Amino acid sequence: MQKKIIKVNNPDNVAVALVNLKAGEVVSFEGEDIKILSDTKSKHKIALQKFESGDRIIMYSVLVGTANGVIEKGDVLTVDNVKHQSDKVFGKTESFSWTAPNVEKWKDKTFMGYHRPDGQVGTENVWLFFPLVFCENRNIEILKDIFERELLKQKVNPHQMLLRSLVSGHEETAETPTSTDVFENIDVKFITHPGGCGGIRQDSEILAKLLAGYVNNPNVAGATVLSLGCQNLQISVFKEALNAINPNMEKPVLIYEQQQMGTVDEMLTAIVKDSFKAIKEANKQERQPAPISKLKVGLECGGSDGFSGISANPTLGAVSDLLVALNGTAVLAEFPELCGVEQELVNRCVDEEDGKKFLQLMKDFEKSVVDAGSGFDMNPSPGNIKDGLITDAMKSAGAAKKGGTSPVVSVLDYGEYITEPGLNLLCTPGNDVESTTGLVGSGCNVVLFTTGLGTPTGNPIAPIIKVSSNTELKEKMPDIIDIETGAVIRAEKTIDEMAEEMLDFIIEVASGRIQTKAKLLNQNDFIPWKRGVSL
């Protein structure tokens, strides 16, 4: 029989409701009866003791808030009776050791990927078009229309057919399209952005690093880059960023500057001819077996709920530990959602300097938010709060579970590229798309994305595997969810069992045998983080 409430860690003084509870209902828990004082929706938290004003509220073994007045035992925690609070961290407090999981069954497993000259292996083979400055967005859109019409099969949108029938006054039926793809082994993708000029020069420099990271990402076979000519993000700045990441870049990168080429027609003519020739050559690359150690998996969450921290996120953590034990790479981002768990992460840093870098990045990030008149405590969204995540520290403690238990081998700022296998920390905002954009720009060739409420987020060059924390979401939004972890909530599967199932799924996606829902929806989100305030 399914439990009604669960305590995540032994030191916790609150529990999570696994089902809806009625006021007056008596729940047996750890040898005692607890009377539920208020109607409590599943995913919300129940006080396991009486709290006086200012008392510390502990969940996941860490401080997640303080009582904002008296909270009786058995009552529900809300934004009215709890306020955000987290412990201050100043450095390492204890040594760290790790026992890696047994990965014997995975050692000989491979995925089918695209091998690059620098030793990286892609899970996709993409030719990427992008501008250095927003002034070229229109030309990118023109090229997108040209190349997609000729290279990709055109499926008739059913909603277009609906509108056509409304306009014509009679029912239209879309014919099942036949495949007219010109190339089998290459995707052509296009991204635009609002940056590259205006603002401060540092914005353009960070954007240059991000775009260089996309070119260097193993999922990219080559790129066509458009420049206007007079913008802050000069071609030379982009080339310097590319050289800093990979001095021996062997991928074809075609760069065009409009102010040097004359008319739009002349420039587009050259781009179409040159790019088609390069895409045709990139299409010759085929998938070959690669060890799991070549996977670089980003760990992301968005639209989290009260179950995310006890089902989906811990499952990602177990997957992360498996990857690290196999000499692969996992990357934990979203620094505002690590508020309150800094001490554990600092203690896990292999290099003490990385621990210092992490704390400084967190301090600088929080200061920028405070200077703007806000704070990390404003991070939980209305959807988070509605589903039981009522403080930033509570949300963070569950979000951090995505990083598993392995040592932290490197701490990266936004735009820095992965160089070390193992668990990396990457400074990004919690904003779903800005963070996912950063993960892929740092070299992730797959992203695991947990959600409890549902989000369609995708990426133009990397598969985004959407993981729901509960079965109801998978049933309600099957078009955006790839795999669900509700069986953990129902105690039908353990975290480790779910993680092994998920790693198998990742291998299928990385091999191109399963298409993610985001890819099927053609969800190609790209939003660079402009280094201001973004939670």
Side-chain angles (χ1 to χ4, degrees):
M1 185 173 68
Q2 182 181 356
K3 295 179 180 179
K4 291 188 175 182
I5 63 175
I6 186 175
K7 186 168 69 172
V8 181
N9 289 10
N10 282 331
D12 297 355
N13 52 23
V14 297
V16 183
L18 298 176
V19 296
N20 293 335
L21 301 172
K22 291 287 187 182
E25 184 176 350
V26 176
V27 176
S28 295
F29 183 72
E30 293 188 344
E32 63 174 319
D33 290 338
I34 299 176
K35 184 179 180 180
I36 305 302
L37 300 184
S38 307
D39 287 347
T40 303
K41 291 183 178 180
S42 66
K43 308 177 186 179
H44 285 259
K45 286 45 177 194
I46 295 290
L48 295 178
Q49 65 178 55
K50 180 178 180 178
F51 294 97
E52 301 290 346
S53 181
D55 282 352
R56 292 163 61 92
I57 295 170
I58 306 298
M59 188 176 175
Y60 300 100
S61 297
V62 299
L63 177 66
V64 297
T66 55
N68 191 26
V70 175
I71 306 173
E72 297 291 343
K73 182 178 180 179
D75 211 350
V76 62
L77 275 59
T78 69
V79 291
D80 296 318
N81 60 22
V82 176
K83 60 182 178 180
H84 167 79
Q85 188 72 46
S86 62
D87 285 321
K88 297 299 180 184
V89 180
F90 302 97
K92 273 197 174 190
T93 58
E94 58 185 52
S95 59
F96 175 78
S97 62
W98 182 58
T99 302
N102 187 332
V103 291
E104 196 62 36
K105 66 177 286 187
W106 303 96
K107 282 187 174 179
D108 295 327
K109 287 202 173 185
T110 60
F111 71 98
M112 298 296 289
Y114 294 95
H115 293 248
R116 306 303 180 190
D118 61 3
Q120 296 186 98
V121 179
T123 63
E124 303 277 351
N125 196 36
V126 176
W127 187 274
L128 187 63
F129 287 76
F130 63 85
L132 293 183
V133 62
F134 58 82
C135 307
E136 291 298 322
N137 283 347
R138 175 181 177 273
N139 288 329
I140 291 291
E141 292 293 349
I142 291 173
L143 290 166
K144 181 176 186 289
D145 184 62
I146 292 169
F147 276 85
E148 286 188 348
R149 282 177 182 272
E150 295 304 319
L151 299 187
L152 307 180
K153 58 186 176 187
Q154 297 296 301
K155 294 183 179 179
V156 180
N157 189 309
H159 299 100
Q160 179 182 342
M161 297 304 298
L162 171 62
L163 179 58
R164 187 177 297 174
S165 68
L166 293 173
V167 171
S168 66
H170 58 82
E171 187 175 346
E172 298 277 354
T173 303
E175 296 181 3
T176 302
T178 57
S179 175
T180 57
D181 285 6
V182 174
F183 300 124
E184 294 183 356
N185 297 321
I186 189 83
D187 285 329
V188 182
K189 295 289 185 176
F190 303 80
I191 56 179
T192 57
H193 58 78
C197 202
I200 58 177
R201 294 296 174 92
Q202 289 90 330
D203 288 336
S204 293
E205 291 168 2
I206 292 173
L207 179 59
K209 289 181 180 180
L210 182 70
L211 293 172
Y214 268 68
V215 173
N216 196 60
N217 188 292
N219 291 357
V220 169
T224 297
V225 183
L226 273 62
S227 168
L228 178 61
C230 56
Q231 72 275 357
N232 285 345
L233 207 177
Q234 289 284 297
I235 291 174
S236 60
V237 175
F238 171 68
K239 286 183 174 180
E240 287 171 9
L242 199 57
N243 185 65
I245 290 177
N246 190 344
N248 302 309
M249 174 69 68
E250 295 186 38
K251 293 179 183 179
V253 181
L254 312 179
I255 303 177
Y256 301 85
E257 188 159 274
Q258 185 173 355
Q259 290 172 347
Q260 297 296 321
M261 297 189 69
T263 67
V264 171
D265 178 68
E266 290 172 325
M267 181 176 73
L268 293 181
T269 298
I271 291 172
V272 170
K273 289 180 178 179
D274 297 345
S275 297
F276 177 77
K277 182 179 179 181
I279 292 168
K280 186 176 181 181
E281 185 65 25
N283 181 63
K284 295 177 182 178
Q285 299 183 55
E286 296 183 351
R287 293 182 183 271
Q288 300 292 335
I292 295 177
S293 61
K294 293 297 184 179
L295 289 174
K296 300 177 183 178
V297 178
L299 306 168
E300 179 71 22
C301 59
S304 299
D305 70 349
F307 283 166
S308 292
I310 59 177
S311 60
N313 291 346
T315 298
L316 262 61
V319 171
S320 171
D321 287 348
L322 290 172
L323 284 170
V324 171
L326 290 162
N327 205 36
T329 303
V331 187
L332 180 64
E334 302 175 285
F335 273 26
E337 296 176 14
L338 300 179
C339 175
V341 295
E342 295 99 330
Q343 190 64 71
E344 177 197 342
L345 292 170
V346 168
N347 288 344
R348 286 166 59 184
C349 286
V350 174
D351 188 330
E352 191 168 337
E353 290 303 311
D354 275 322
K356 293 178 181 178
K357 181 178 181 180
F358 171 60
L359 291 179
Q360 189 62 52
L361 286 169
M362 288 289 284
K363 180 180 178 181
D364 292 345
F365 199 153
E366 186 168 19
K367 183 179 184 300
S368 71
V369 177
V370 171
D371 288 347
S374 187
F376 278 178
D377 59 308
M378 299 301 291
N379 177 261
S381 68
N384 295 150
I385 294 168
K386 181 181 177 182
D387 264 40
L389 299 177
I390 59 174
T391 73
D392 183 55
M394 184 181 291
K395 180 179 178 181
S396 296
K401 293 296 179 183
K402 301 191 302 291
T405 62
S406 68
V408 174
V409 298
S410 185
V411 175
L412 307 173
D413 199 358
Y414 196 83
E416 291 185 321
Y417 204 82
I418 301 162
T419 60
E420 299 288 335
L423 179 63
N424 289 247
L425 303 183
L426 174 65
C427 183
T428 75
N431 178 291
D432 301 356
V433 179
E434 288 176 342
S435 182
T436 302
T437 297
L439 283 165
V440 176
S442 288
C444 292
N445 53 13
V446 178
V447 175
L448 290 177
F449 190 122
T450 70
T451 181
L453 304 176
T455 169
T457 304
N459 185 268
I461 69 168
I464 310 297
I465 299 174
K466 218 63 62 56
V467 183
S468 68
S469 68
N470 60 87
T471 302
E472 291 73 20
L473 177 59
K474 169 71 171 176
E475 293 173 344
K476 183 173 68 173
M477 304 179 78
D479 58 328
I480 68 170
I481 300 299
D482 296 291
I483 188 169
E484 54 102 354
T485 57
V488 172
I489 300 296
R490 298 188 299 274
E492 295 170 2
K493 291 181 182 178
T494 66
I495 293 292
D496 289 339
E497 288 170 341
M498 195 75 243
E500 292 198 354
E501 183 178 320
M502 193 171 293
L503 184 51
D504 275 329
F505 189 86
I506 294 169
I507 291 171
E508 292 301 296
V509 170
S511 300
R513 293 188 287 265
I514 292 179
Q515 300 292 303
T516 63
K517 298 300 177 63
K519 184 170 184 177
L520 292 172
L521 289 172
N522 202 29
Q523 188 86 29
N524 299 311
D525 300 310
F526 179 85
I527 303 179
W529 180 26
K530 194 173 182 180
R531 202 57 176 262
V533 177
S534 182
L535 290 174

